[in-house]
Amino acid sequence: MTNEAEFDKERVTAQIAEAVQAIEDAQSSSALRQLRDEYVGKNSVLARASQAIGKLPNDQKKEAGQLLGQLRAEFGRAFGAREAAVKKAEEEAKLAAEKVDVTLPVERHPLGARHPLAALTEDIQDFFVSMGWQISEGPEIDSEWYDFDALNFGPDHPARQMQDTFYVKGDKARDAAGFVGSNMVLRTQTSSDQVRGLIQRGVPLYMACTGRVFRTDELDATHTPVFHQCEALAVDKGLTMSDLKGTLDALAVAMFGPEAKTRLRPSYFPFTEPSAEMDLWFPDKKGGPGWIEWGGCGMVHPNVLRSAGLDPDVYTGFAFGVGIERALLLRHDINDMHDLVEGDIRFSKQFAMGE
Amino acid sequence: MPIVDIDWLKEHVDVPADLTVEQLSQDLVRIGLETETIHRSSVTGPVVVGRIVDFVKEPQKNGKTVSWCQVDCGEEHNVKEEDGTTRLRGIICGAPNVEKDALVVVALPGAVLPGDFAISVRKTYGHKSEGMCCSARELGMGDDHHGIILLREEGFSQEELKNIKPGDDALSLLHLNIPTLEINITPDRGYAFSYRGVAREYHHSTGEPFTDPIPELAAQAPQVEAGHQGDVEAAIEDDNPIHGVVGCDRYYLRAVRGFDPNAKTPNWMRRRLIRAGVRPHTLAVDVTNYVMLDLGQPLHAYDLDKLVPPIVVRRAHEGEKLVTLDGEEHVLSVEDLVITDSPNGERSSRILGLAGVMGGQYGEITADTKNILVESAHFDTVSIARTARRHKLPTDASHRFERGVDYAMQPAAAQDAIHLLTRYGQGVASDNPTDLNTTKEPQPIAFKVSEVKRLANLDTSTEDIAAILEDIGCTVAGGGNGTFIVTPPTWRPDLTIAPDLVEEVARLVGYDKIPTRIPSVPVVNPGLTPFQARQRKVAATLAEAGLVETLSYPFVGEKDFEEFALNAEQVKGESVEVRNPLAGDRPFMRTNLLYTLARTAQRNLRRGMRNVQIYEIGHVYRQDPNAPAIPALPGSVKPSEDQLKALEAGLPAQPLQVAAVLTGEAVAPGWWKDSRAIDWSDAVALARRVGERIGAELSMASLDEATNLPSDFNAGTWHPGRTAVVSFNGVYLGVAGELHPEVNKTLGLPEHSAAFNLDLTALFDTLSLQPLQAKPISTFPPVREDLAFMVEEKVSAQQLIDAIRRGGGESLESVELFDVYRGSDLGEGKKSLAFSVVYRSDSQTLTAAQAKEIRAAIVAECEKDLNAVLRV
């Protein structure tokens, strides 16, 4: 074969037929590129034939040009189709090769966790916020006056005795009986913020106080000396036990689902009259739905209103207190208080950032 | 708390024949008497009456003598032989009181006695024993284990005994198959500490007819005037009343003479006492206990022959002592009320007991007592409560007196006791009792009927309200203008104000009848305060950053101070101390969250956890030693403004803190192969993150550069060179960095463990509440440059950044440190810090010349104060 430009109709036709066949068989982009160079490149038979057209007699030029155009198009069609197929296959092969095990652990910075008691406290606060109430906390170390006297606990009330209350050591103050001390306690109840709230925030007052309280109970499966309560206090004109019951039912539903409800039983607390023990209807109770004790409540005692300088003939109010630990134990079927107080990270991690 | 036996309850109120203890529980709960528990006998299976037909005493090598008994357990329960005949049961019995023909209680094979004691046929002492003759203790009927139960000694009447046959069910005979109900009594309902009171409450709940036993008993008692001195003289001489209330306002004495000391307590009374959890003694003691349980009046019985009147009720004198019945010696307080007599002509010289709490050893009833003096008194609730607590003597009597006993029933209760003593122990009751009585009539309450609606939202009619109040024992008068004059009964000292009466009406109508309503709340400062909202953001941010929130008790002690290398004396000086701590070695309240959070970290590490990275948000407490004393103020009165201030001023500071302890890996090890251990920088980064989350850019200073450390700062806790003092707007917030290697070692934390603690109260209070004022965003193109400065080691990154910012002025958009380099080419004590800076103008595209000017200004600023040299 020579590199001379010549127009050989049979040869160039056969060449392109051969090329189309080779394109069909090509398996890669690089093979296709080679074929392109070989059959339609600068030195290909087709290129030379193209150059040779000029030397043909004029009457043959048109026919020859048409033929070469057809052959070129034939090549192009085959090449284009094959190139797309090969590229697609190559792309797929590349992706297949990049496959990873997506089940590998990937958490370089795993999520931490809130403590479920803190999270539940926020949920309870949110319930009250949604009803338009204020949220207070109050000091954990408080005067005996706010924790007891203002709440109608007389100086001889059993709750004021050493077996229940952590007293703050001190030698500056004298109590009503003249005994030297600090007149301070680690608050025994979040109710300690009732009268402070009434005095500082004024009435009408709808206020929930959440936080830590302290009693001298040794830690065991059901007791802890440091625990959390939510106190609700509403003082306004015209409030009755109906408002208390309605608020309790709404809280029960918010905490324990649509089937939850509450029931009141007559009881006694120094700072409420009438007073009631509150039972919660708990659909998920072990051994079948049933009532369980959830907290105390009642209408604010006139002496408590008087402690805040309010006229009990003008204002009425209701108050209730629920244990947050108790709610948490119930909601999550936790059987041992130790899990709540020890700070074992495995316990909190179960709850992550919420439910 | 009291135990309710349906059989006994029936004495005062009708009950349905088929009343179960479960139903009783519901009936009483509804009215406010809570169930503590239901007591059921743990005896199951066949326990029958047997007659000892014959027995042989068989001495054993071990010194014991057992009886080989032939016991008739009735046709059905005797042993059936294979040939169809029956024979008596052979039973080995170790008790000394086996008697021929005695009726006994036999537990048959298959029975299970308390303590999971299963009875079976067993070989013992060479015989096959086919059952067990039971003692009272073995059946859970009390402590008596001196011998087996002989039914004729159980107090059945001759008539009853005649009808008892071998094979009869002994469980029902002894009431062991009937459960009892233990209830809780709230402190205001002392009267319910009796069958009389519970029966009345049951009546209130169910409407079943109730008969108060007191009026009839009172009518039977000799009628004497208040202050009457009877055949035993007495006096009340209280020279130290508490709160001005005399310790004893009614002292009633009545004697029984010629009592038979050998008289036995009848079976029904013994059984009731046992079932009420009271151990039977002699008839005289049993009767006083019985009347106390039945009517609620604690009684005391003395051996009259040992006493020398006058009997004087007075306060103890300084230094007096008393050995109480339980053998304990008590040094008495001048607040203790005591009962005394007057031997040798010395008035009130011998103490007989702590009034209303417990008797002394002298003067008690003994097995020889023939003449009995019954004391039926009413004591001040506060006095009794204080004495019982002071001497740690909570007794059945003190429980009742401190809750308040009906102060009109003393003669009736004594009458009841004397009736029982004379009926079962013969003797003659004195008709000349002593009755010192200064009790006052109950105070009437002006009760607006509308209060029921105002407080309880009940539409109970005026007639029904009056009927309810009369039913609970009140006298109701007036009512014309919608106001009743209500006089409470003597057994309800808790009823003093209108809301007390509303509660009575509401609970008798039923709390479940009160309609339900959700109050519409006026909009007054609702929602979370900025403080609360920020606290939540901080909490969530740290959890999202991978830390686990924990909560710890706030109590600390010497060991914590030592392990954190604190100056213990200094810390104690500003710590709140608890007077009665649970753990004696941790009496102080924490002044820093880290002290208790570190314990949580330790606990996790000891449990095998790794990468323990935890945080806590909580209060710390700091007592200013110069804080004023907190005043003692009365309740029910609003304190003055000055008093209110004083109540707050004396309280310790109780700021909210956040703290974290970080151990292990900052980036968890894994297949990505780029794990990294925790170091100081993680603590600093987290502290910064806390600030960033709420819009506060916190500044850091090294320990030696910081100028705002608090005076109580404990440097020993921290690594001196890897700790940042964290501030905001110049206000000290806390510390972030690596714990001192010694502290890490002492606490058992891994090397390089880091921590931070920040005062959130200080941060939140310093941080503006104004909304952020946004800067306009320039759309002109930026100029980026890298600038590396060589400085002395002591120059901090923060100082350079501040200088670059000053130099760059408004055109400097951002500055980021991207490399810290040290090398011999820089020379000793030098380092190079490389920054990527971006300039951008608000108003134009910066030209090359302008960028050059900015750079020159930056370089000049850095050279000026820090001797920084730009590296080219």
Side-chain angles (χ1 to χ4, degrees):
Chain A
M1 202 193 292
T2 70
N3 285 332
E4 292 292 309
E6 60 163 352
F7 184 82
D8 180 337
K9 185 180 167 185
E10 278 69 34
R11 186 159 173 230
V12 71
T13 305
Q15 272 276 311
I16 292 303
E18 184 186 306
V20 167
Q21 188 55 53
I23 284 168
E24 297 292 312
D25 296 341
Q27 292 304 318
S28 69
S29 319
S30 57
L32 280 172
R33 275 195 300 275
Q34 270 185 11
L35 291 174
R36 190 172 56 198
D37 289 348
E38 187 181 340
Y39 291 101
V40 295
K42 244 189 258 169
N43 294 320
S44 62
V45 173
L46 186 72
R48 290 200 303 274
S50 197
Q51 288 163 13
I53 285 181
K55 296 174 188 166
L56 289 177
N58 282 341
D59 61 340
Q60 292 176 23
K61 279 182 183 168
K62 187 180 175 195
E63 192 192 339
Q66 279 172 349
L67 174 67
L68 290 190
Q70 276 168 21
L71 290 174
R72 222 176 264 281
E74 206 173 307
F75 180 92
R77 274 194 301 276
F79 187 92
R82 187 60 192 153
E83 186 186 39
V86 165
K87 278 207 166 143
K88 185 159 183 271
E90 280 177 347
E91 187 76 9
E92 280 170 2
K94 181 169 177 252
L95 293 177
E98 284 174 356
K99 179 175 164 45
V100 296
D101 175 2
V102 297
T103 68
L104 280 172
V106 294
E107 209 43 270
R108 287 144 175 93
H109 298 281
L111 186 64
R114 297 296 312 279
H115 193 281
L117 270 175
L120 180 59
T121 301
E122 291 180 4
D123 288 350
I124 293 175
Q125 289 174 340
D126 287 345
F127 164 79
F128 286 103
V129 167
S130 77
M131 297 208 308
W133 291 44
Q134 307 180 41
I135 306 296
S136 83
E137 278 110 15
E140 292 173 359
I141 299 177
D142 210 343
S143 63
E144 288 193 57
W145 193 78
Y146 279 120
D147 199 62
F148 291 131
D149 300 277
L151 297 176
N152 199 36
F153 286 80
D156 281 291
H157 192 278
R160 296 185 73 153
Q161 306 312 313
M162 291 287 266
Q163 60 261 40
D164 295 319
T165 304
F166 286 111
Y167 280 84
V168 171
K169 208 170 184 173
D171 54 11
K172 277 187 189 164
R174 279 177 190 279
D175 68 12
F179 290 103
V180 172
S182 69
N183 286 343
M184 277 189 278
V185 295
L186 309 194
R187 67 173 171 193
T188 58
Q189 48 194 355
T190 41
S191 323
S192 60
D193 215 35
Q194 280 192 7
V195 172
R196 185 185 272 103
L198 286 169
I199 289 175
Q200 294 185 352
R201 296 167 190 244
V203 284
L205 180 66
Y206 293 78
M207 181 184 88
C209 177
T210 57
R212 277 190 152 186
V213 299
F214 306 83
R215 305 257 177 100
T216 56
D217 291 319
E218 295 281 354
L219 173 65
D220 63 24
T222 54
H223 296 89
T224 161
V226 182
F227 55 104
H228 298 76
Q229 282 186 336
C230 174
E231 175 84 8
L233 171 74
V235 175
D236 202 343
K237 289 176 185 168
L239 289 175
T240 70
M241 285 180 87
S242 289
D243 302 293
L244 166 64
K245 287 181 75 172
T247 307
L248 284 174
D249 277 344
L251 176 63
V253 168
M255 291 291 104
F256 298 100
E259 286 174 61
K261 57 187 174 185
T262 60
R263 146 184 109 169
L264 302 188
R265 285 182 284 116
S267 190
Y268 169 78
F269 302 102
F271 46 116
T272 49
E273 190 71 39
S275 300
E277 201 70 61
M278 181 217 328
D279 292 339
L280 169 74
W281 178 258
F282 189 47
D284 302 322
K285 189 180 175 197
K286 274 201 171 161
W291 294 104
I292 43 173
E293 272 185 47
W294 197 27
C297 60
M299 297 302 288
V300 178
H301 196 284
N303 286 349
V304 176
L305 296 173
R306 289 189 187 106
S307 295
L310 297 172
D311 182 350
D313 288 333
V314 177
Y315 289 97
T316 57
F318 66 84
F320 63 85
V322 294
I324 299 179
E325 273 79 0
R326 180 138 179 88
L328 191 73
L329 295 175
L330 285 172
R331 256 161 74 116
H332 301 290
D333 192 25
I334 302 162
N335 295 314
D336 196 334
M337 192 65 83
H338 287 88
D339 291 342
L340 261 61
V341 306
E342 284 180 341
D344 193 308
I345 57 177
R346 291 168 298 176
F347 178 71
S348 289
K349 275 185 167 174
Q350 297 179 80
F351 297 87
M353 298 292 289
E355 287 169 56
Chain B
M1 286 287 178
I3 285 175
V4 184
D5 186 348
I6 292 173
D7 176 60
W8 191 343
L9 188 67
K10 285 193 284 203
E11 298 277 335
H12 306 305
V13 66
D14 289 1
V15 303
D18 57 353
L19 178 64
T20 61
V21 73
E22 288 79 9
Q23 182 61 45
L24 176 65
S25 161
Q26 284 182 27
D27 292 338
L28 293 180
V29 162
R30 188 164 55 235
I31 207 77
L33 300 181
E34 195 178 65
T35 296
E36 171 76 35
T37 185
I38 290 174
H39 294 279
R40 290 172 204 285
S41 164
S42 48
V43 179
T44 58
V47 178
V48 302
V49 173
R51 182 192 301 280
I52 299 178
V53 175
D54 201 5
F55 72 98
V56 188
K57 287 220 182 265
E58 296 183 352
Q60 303 295 316
K61 280 183 207 148
N62 63 9
K64 280 188 187 170
T65 298
V66 301
S67 302
W68 171 237
C69 310
Q70 299 304 312
V71 184
D72 178 8
C73 295
E75 186 64 28
E76 192 189 337
H77 297 294
N78 282 333
V79 180
K80 289 178 182 61
E81 297 287 13
E82 280 177 13
D83 61 6
T85 60
T86 61
R87 62 167 175 78
L88 303 182
R89 281 189 179 264
I91 295 174
I92 286 287
C93 182
N97 62 338
V98 173
E99 283 175 24
K100 195 164 173 336
D101 283 335
L103 286 176
V104 298
V105 177
V106 180
L108 298 175
V112 180
L113 303 190
D116 263 342
F117 180 21
I119 304 299
S120 59
V121 176
R122 61 192 187 107
K123 287 235 167 83
T124 182
Y125 294 111
H127 297 283
K128 194 165 78 169
S129 187
E130 295 164 322
M132 187 177 87
C133 298
C134 302
S135 73
R137 191 168 81 185
E138 283 159 345
L139 288 175
M141 289 169 57
D143 290 336
D144 194 353
H145 196 52
H146 293 105
I148 56 173
I149 294 173
L150 302 177
L151 285 176
R152 72 175 149 75
E153 290 185 351
E154 289 300 299
F156 292 103
S157 67
Q158 288 305 316
E159 197 63 29
E160 286 169 326
L161 268 179
K162 238 185 271 173
N163 288 324
I164 297 175
K165 297 273 179 299
D168 286 357
D169 178 11
L171 294 183
S172 65
L173 199 65
L174 297 170
H175 287 220
L176 282 173
N177 59 341
I178 306 169
T180 56
L181 177 71
E182 184 173 351
I183 56 175
N184 279 334
I185 307 289
T186 52
D188 58 329
R189 294 229 167 92
Y191 72 98
F193 241 110
S194 67
Y195 276 95
R196 178 197 181 204
V198 174
R200 182 184 286 277
E201 289 294 301
Y202 180 75
H203 154 74
H204 291 323
S205 175
T206 62
E208 296 283 356
F210 161 77
T211 312
D212 187 348
I214 295 297
E216 195 188 331
L217 288 166
Q220 290 165 5
Q223 306 297 309
V224 295
E225 302 272 307
H228 176 78
Q229 291 289 356
D231 47 20
V232 179
E233 194 194 335
I236 299 168
E237 297 172 358
D238 184 358
D239 59 359
N240 187 24
I242 300 172
H243 303 317
V245 177
V246 68
C248 175
D249 56 5
R250 189 155 199 188
Y251 198 68
Y252 185 91
L253 294 173
R254 195 171 164 202
V256 173
R257 295 187 173 82
F259 180 75
D260 172 10
N262 297 317
K264 286 272 189 286
T265 305
N267 174 59
W268 61 266
M269 188 186 293
R270 275 174 52 92
R271 190 174 63 222
R272 283 178 175 179
L273 289 174
I274 289 166
R275 285 165 63 72
V278 176
R279 198 171 150 184
H281 286 267
T282 60
L283 174 60
V285 172
D286 288 349
V287 163
T288 57
N289 283 332
Y290 183 84
V291 173
M292 173 183 71
L293 294 174
D294 194 37
L295 302 179
Q297 171 66 53
L299 300 174
H300 200 84
Y302 299 93
D303 185 333
L304 181 56
D305 295 335
K306 291 181 188 159
L307 306 190
V308 183
I311 310 296
V312 179
V313 187
R314 63 161 167 90
R315 299 285 169 181
H317 302 144
E318 193 73 50
E320 280 187 316
K321 291 177 184 169
L322 174 70
V323 178
T324 42
L325 261 178
D326 55 6
E328 292 288 318
E329 186 182 78
H330 300 274
V331 176
L332 302 182
S333 151
V334 294
E335 268 195 0
D336 289 328
L337 197 69
V338 292
I339 310 294
T340 64
D341 71 344
S342 311
N344 309 318
E346 291 177 45
R347 185 181 175 85
S348 187
S349 58
R350 179 167 55 196
I351 299 177
L352 301 174
L354 280 169
V357 178
M358 190 181 273
Q361 290 189 320
Y362 184 82
E364 285 301 312
I365 297 283
T366 67
D368 305 321
T369 300
K370 295 187 185 64
N371 298 313
I372 298 172
L373 182 65
V374 174
E375 169 198 283
S376 181
H378 183 259
F379 299 112
D380 172 37
T381 54
V382 172
S383 177
I384 298 297
R386 288 190 182 179
T387 294
R389 266 192 293 279
R390 183 178 299 123
H391 299 289
K392 298 190 172 60
L393 281 177
T395 60
D396 287 332
S398 73
H399 283 151
R400 286 168 176 81
F401 280 126
E402 59 186 84
R403 282 172 172 79
V405 164
D406 181 352
Y407 53 86
M409 75 163 155
Q410 284 67 33
Q415 171 63 31
D416 197 19
I418 276 162
H419 168 74
L420 291 167
L421 287 172
T422 51
R423 177 168 171 204
Y424 293 102
Q426 283 74 48
V428 180
S430 163
D431 59 1
N432 189 16
T434 291
D435 188 3
L436 309 181
N437 183 2
T438 58
T439 57
K440 293 180 182 65
E441 289 296 309
Q443 280 294 106
I445 304 165
F447 183 50
K448 271 194 264 174
V449 179
S450 57
E451 287 294 282
V452 173
K453 177 73 177 169
R454 193 172 82 102
L455 290 175
N457 196 25
L458 281 171
D459 293 310
T460 316
S461 72
T462 306
E463 294 73 28
D464 287 348
I465 290 172
I468 284 171
L469 293 176
E470 281 171 350
D471 199 27
I472 64 167
C474 296
T475 312
V476 180
N481 54 357
T483 300
F484 284 130
I485 302 302
V486 180
T487 308
T490 49
W491 60 88
R492 293 299 302 270
D494 59 308
L495 302 180
T496 58
I497 56 173
D500 296 332
L501 301 178
V502 174
E503 178 175 282
E504 293 303 304
V505 173
R507 77 183 179 99
L508 263 63
V509 170
Y511 279 5
D512 56 332
K513 300 291 191 301
I514 298 170
T516 293
R517 173 175 82 184
I518 293 184
S520 56
V521 178
V523 179
V524 185
N525 302 321
L528 297 180
T529 61
F531 190 105
Q532 290 159 347
R534 285 166 170 170
Q535 179 183 339
R536 287 191 180 193
K537 287 175 182 172
V538 170
T541 291
L542 291 172
E544 277 157 9
L547 277 64
V548 177
E549 186 177 23
T550 61
L551 300 171
S552 58
Y553 290 170
F555 308 119
V556 293
E558 298 275 358
K559 190 160 188 278
D560 303 287
F561 305 152
E562 191 184 305
E563 297 196 359
F564 274 92
L566 309 181
N567 177 340
E569 287 317 306
Q570 186 192 354
V571 180
K572 283 192 227 168
E574 67 196 21
S575 293
V576 175
E577 185 174 356
V578 174
R579 197 163 84 200
N580 51 334
L582 278 184
D585 57 344
R586 291 210 157 83
F588 299 101
M589 301 297 283
R590 64 188 174 203
T591 55
N592 191 315
L593 273 185
L594 278 179
Y595 308 153
T596 57
L597 182 63
R599 300 286 164 211
T600 310
Q602 274 182 331
R603 185 176 298 123
N604 279 286
L605 291 165
R606 284 180 187 149
R607 288 183 180 179
M609 249 66 74
R610 295 169 55 214
N611 300 332
V612 173
Q613 292 158 24
I614 56 178
Y615 74 103
E616 178 166 358
I617 294 177
H619 289 276
V620 299
Y621 318 87
R622 235 172 255 121
Q623 182 68 60
D624 175 0
N626 300 315
I630 289 190
L633 302 171
S636 311
V637 183
K638 185 185 177 184
S640 69
E641 288 303 316
D642 285 347
Q643 287 172 326
L644 287 172
K645 278 189 196 129
L647 284 174
E648 304 292 339
L651 292 179
Q654 303 176 52
L656 191 71
Q657 267 197 357
V658 58
V661 169
L662 310 168
T663 73
E665 312 280 347
V667 179
W671 54 269
W672 46 80
K673 306 271 192 298
D674 56 355
S675 76
R676 181 175 69 74
I678 282 285
D679 63 26
W680 64 275
S681 67
D682 297 295
V684 173
L686 284 168
R688 280 192 191 280
R689 174 69 63 86
V690 164
E692 250 177 276
R693 180 66 186 81
I694 55 170
E697 194 182 335
L698 306 187
S699 55
M700 305 289 157
S702 62
L703 270 181
D704 48 358
E705 295 281 331
T707 55
N708 58 352
L709 283 177
S711 59
D712 60 341
F713 182 76
N714 285 290
T717 302
W718 299 94
H719 189 301
R722 295 185 176 179
T723 300
V725 175
V726 188
S727 307
F728 178 63
N729 283 357
V731 174
Y732 170 83
L733 297 183
V735 183
E738 191 173 312
L739 289 166
H740 196 286
E742 279 301 314
V743 170
N744 272 333
K745 203 167 123 191
T746 315
L747 291 171
L749 303 180
E751 271 187 296
H752 305 298
S753 289
F756 70 80
N757 68 274
L758 299 176
D759 182 336
L760 291 178
T761 300
L763 172 59
F764 298 165
D765 287 352
T766 311
L767 186 56
S768 167
L769 290 173
Q770 296 303 316
L772 176 128
Q773 303 302 300
K775 290 181 194 140
I777 298 301
S778 166
T779 53
F780 293 98
V783 174
R784 294 178 195 281
E785 283 199 303
D786 289 348
L787 303 175
F789 289 99
M790 186 176 72
V791 288
E792 300 282 334
E793 273 291 354
K794 65 171 198 225
V795 174
S796 73
Q798 189 65 50
Q799 287 173 308
L800 258 182
I801 290 170
D802 290 345
I804 292 170
R805 284 199 177 137
R806 282 196 305 275
E810 285 188 359
S811 305
L812 182 72
E813 185 173 86
S814 68
V815 49
E816 277 169 21
L817 177 72
F818 69 88
D819 192 31
V820 179
Y821 170 76
R822 292 177 180 84
S824 51
D825 52 331
L826 298 180
E828 187 77 0
K830 303 271 175 138
K831 63 185 175 185
S832 164
L833 302 182
F835 298 89
S836 170
V837 294
V838 176
Y839 318 135
R840 201 196 296 258
S841 161
D842 289 343
S843 52
Q844 62 176 114
T845 300
L846 290 173
T847 63
Q850 286 168 321
K852 205 173 164 187
E853 264 176 45
I854 297 169
R855 179 174 54 198
I858 289 174
V859 170
E861 189 68 30
C862 293
E863 278 177 352
K864 189 175 72 180
D865 291 336
L866 307 173
N867 288 325
V869 179
L870 183 70
R871 300 179 71 211
V872 201

